[in-house]
Amino acid sequence: MKLSIIIPVYNEKATIFEILKRIENIQDIQKQIIIIDDGSNDGSYELINSFNFLSECKIIRHDFNSGKGSCIKTAQTHITGDIVIIQDADLE
């Protein structure tokens, strides 16, 4: 079984590394991480791209902020998991 984790990101420079570390530290489950950067301008996108992913990962960037719903719609075409969850980048 594979878990797909959608992470919408908008200006989450302060927390993005922490949530990615927490997700990658989850063991005994196959994961697919789908990150949608929603036009961040605080360096979040660059931090995401510098992270050393162990799991399957897809990083997509919107040119401008269009909201969480738009991020989820964008991610839908990339989902390969059996179960899908949405994880906010601000640790909620």
Side-chain angles (χ1 to χ4, degrees), residues 24-86:
E24 286 289 40
N25 282 335
I26 298 169
Q27 297 180 10
D28 301 325
I29 188 163
Q30 185 181 9
K31 299 177 293 272
Q32 174 198 30
I33 303 169
I34 305 171
I35 301 170
I36 310 295
D37 181 274
D38 200 26
S40 294
N41 56 21
D42 70 341
S44 295
Y45 182 72
E46 291 75 17
L47 281 174
I48 293 164
N49 280 295
S50 70
F51 189 81
N52 186 24
F53 290 94
L54 303 174
S55 301
E56 174 187 344
C57 182
K58 179 75 175 173
I59 303 167
I60 302 162
R61 182 166 193 178
H62 287 168
D63 292 332
F64 55 89
N65 182 268
S66 54
K68 184 175 180 177
S70 177
C71 290
I72 294 166
K73 286 180 184 178
T74 298
Q76 285 180 328
T77 61
H78 301 279
I79 294 169
T80 60
D82 304 295
I83 299 171
V84 181
I85 63 169
I86 301 165

Side-chain angles (χ1 to χ4, degrees), residues 19 86-92:
I19 195 62
I86 301 165
Q87 172 63 59
D88 288 344
D90 62 2
L91 306 176
E92 284 191 32

